[in-house]
Amino acid sequence: MYYEEPYRKHSPRRRERRRATPGGCLAHLALRLFALLLALIIFTVGLLYALPVSLFAVEPEDNQLSLTDGLPASRANILLLGLDMTRENSQRSDAVLIASIGYSQLRLTSILRDTLVNIPGHGSGKLNAAYAHGGPELVMRTLNEAFDLNLMHYLAVDFTALVGLVDALGGVEVNVTEAEMTRINQNLDAARSQFESMGYTAPLLTQCGENTRLNGVQALYYARIRKLDSDFMRASRQRALLEAMLKKLRANLWNPALIVRFFQALSRSVDTNLSLVEFLSLGEKVLLAGAPEQMRLPVENSYTDDGANLTITDRQANIDAFRIFAYD
């Protein structure tokens, strides 16, 4: 027998609406703003990296730099100066380098400070004296005339400021020989009180060998060793220190605290005529490039050395060597 269940009228269930709490709204808004900010940062970083270096080759209006025409625009050549500000009446550029920057490429060229050059308006003299006579602009003009370059941008850092930059990175690792360790410690003994009065620690180096950790003061005196061997080796150590700093910075791109600390130290210690856009765009290219290739001027068999001065005897050999190195 078929039985039909009587019809029952069911009242529809009412869906309960969740009331949004003020905290939930704020969290959702904060999340959306964070995502928008992150996207904006990524877009800006990509845009800055994409800017071609040729955009930075615009000659200054008041051009007194003796720029050489016709050089390729595929590289930006930036003058790097390490300054000795401890001299009472004279500031000399005891480290002179050129950073040649392109996409995925960084090349460092040291120019030895004892090289005799014509300093416009001051006659013949050592390269490191040009800064004392006319600052970075005169150094650029001197090098442009000596080696047919097109330098128009520079970064200058006082050697004592280098201490803060290395400490901001948490130290760097370089290869140190036993003889270099001895020389570093001798210099530290003589200058410890000076740096400790500035708030820096200056412990003696107790080990040497491959990947020796140096703090800021130790790194400074590593870069300034000269009496141990020659200015050629001194320039090589300066390039090695720059490479170690760059390596440490690249390895910590994930560490925002270290990056902020480093760039704060950089902003306090660097003198430059690069605009913020130029600095950031070229800086990105440097960070994303491979290990820097290195060379120095004058090249072999193009100069004479009397123990105090390097006199160039083959100017064209140096011009050619740099162009091959910097521009392939």
Side-chain angles (χ1 to χ4, degrees):
M1 181 177 179
Y2 177 75
Y3 174 75
E4 183 177 352
E5 186 175 337
Y7 172 76
R8 295 180 181 178
K9 185 177 181 181
H10 297 278
S11 60
R13 294 181 180 179
R14 295 181 179 178
R15 294 182 179 179
E16 296 182 359
R17 295 182 179 179
R18 294 182 181 179
R19 293 184 178 180
T21 62
C25 287
L26 288 175
H28 181 66
L29 178 60
L31 186 61
R32 294 186 64 179
L33 288 175
F34 176 77
L36 181 61
L37 179 62
L38 184 61
L40 181 61
I41 291 173
I42 293 173
F43 173 77
T44 303
V45 168
L47 181 62
L48 287 170
Y49 180 78
L51 293 177
V53 296
S54 59
L55 289 180
F56 312 139
V58 179
E59 295 185 11
E61 293 182 3
D62 184 17
N63 181 9
Q64 297 181 354
L65 298 176
S66 299
L67 299 174
T68 301
D69 294 329
L71 295 179
S74 58
R75 303 288 184 274
N77 293 315
I78 310 299
L79 176 65
L80 307 179
L81 298 172
L83 307 178
D84 183 359
M85 307 292 281
T86 61
R87 300 173 186 264
E88 292 183 0
N89 298 315
S90 175
Q91 298 173 0
R92 292 177 178 265
S93 51
D94 280 359
V96 181
L97 301 98
I98 298 173
S100 300
I101 304 168
Y103 286 110
S104 302
Q105 183 189 81
L106 172 62
R107 294 177 177 175
L108 296 175
T109 303
S110 293
I111 306 178
L112 300 186
R113 66 176 192 169
D114 289 339
T115 304
L116 288 179
V117 291
N118 177 60
I119 302 174
H122 301 277
S124 179
K126 290 186 179 182
L127 175 61
N128 68 337
Y131 188 90
H133 291 303
E137 290 79 11
L138 185 57
V139 180
M140 289 189 289
R141 181 179 176 185
T142 298
L143 290 173
N144 287 340
E145 293 185 2
F147 300 109
D148 287 357
L149 304 176
N150 61 351
L151 296 171
M152 63 182 87
H153 294 110
Y154 70 89
L155 283 166
V157 180
D158 176 15
F159 271 129
T160 56
L162 178 67
V163 177
L165 292 173
V166 173
D167 282 344
L169 291 171
V172 293
E173 289 75 35
V174 296
N175 298 337
V176 178
T177 67
E178 186 174 354
E180 289 171 337
M181 180 181 71
T182 300
R183 182 62 64 178
I184 289 170
N185 287 338
Q186 289 173 348
N187 292 331
L188 281 174
D189 270 335
R192 179 178 289 108
S193 60
Q194 173 189 354
F195 281 99
E196 288 180 347
S197 68
M198 298 167 62
Y200 296 113
T201 58
L204 294 178
L205 197 58
T206 58
Q207 64 177 13
C208 57
E210 294 185 0
N211 296 320
T212 298
R213 171 67 64 86
L214 302 179
N215 78 348
V217 180
Q218 294 165 345
L220 170 64
Y221 283 111
Y222 167 80
R224 303 207 68 180
I225 294 173
R226 182 181 182 184
K227 292 182 179 180
L228 179 63
D229 32 50
S230 67
D231 201 31
F232 295 88
M233 291 302 299
R234 186 176 192 258
S236 177
R237 292 186 191 98
Q238 292 168 354
R239 295 195 303 273
L241 179 58
L242 281 178
E243 183 174 1
M245 293 174 67
L246 185 57
K247 182 178 180 181
K248 188 67 175 287
L249 192 60
R250 287 171 174 170
N252 285 276
L253 290 177
W254 56 269
N255 185 344
L258 183 144
I259 298 299
V260 169
R261 187 168 64 244
F262 177 79
F263 279 98
Q264 284 177 339
L266 194 65
S267 65
R268 292 192 299 265
S269 59
V270 167
D271 173 36
T272 183
N273 64 347
L274 288 166
S275 70
L276 181 61
V277 170
E278 291 169 338
F279 182 85
L280 292 175
S281 180
L282 293 174
E284 283 186 34
K285 292 174 176 62
V286 167
L287 288 175
L288 297 177
E293 299 177 54
Q294 304 179 22
M295 74 168 291
R296 53 94 172 159
L297 297 177
V299 295
E300 291 294 336
N301 303 317
S302 71
Y303 64 92
T304 59
D305 183 359
D306 63 7
N309 303 301
L310 302 176
T311 302
I312 294 178
T313 57
D314 191 342
R315 176 174 177 269
Q316 192 61 44
N318 289 282
I319 294 172
D320 294 341
F322 178 81
R323 292 186 181 184
I324 292 171
F325 177 71
Y327 301 109
D328 296 324

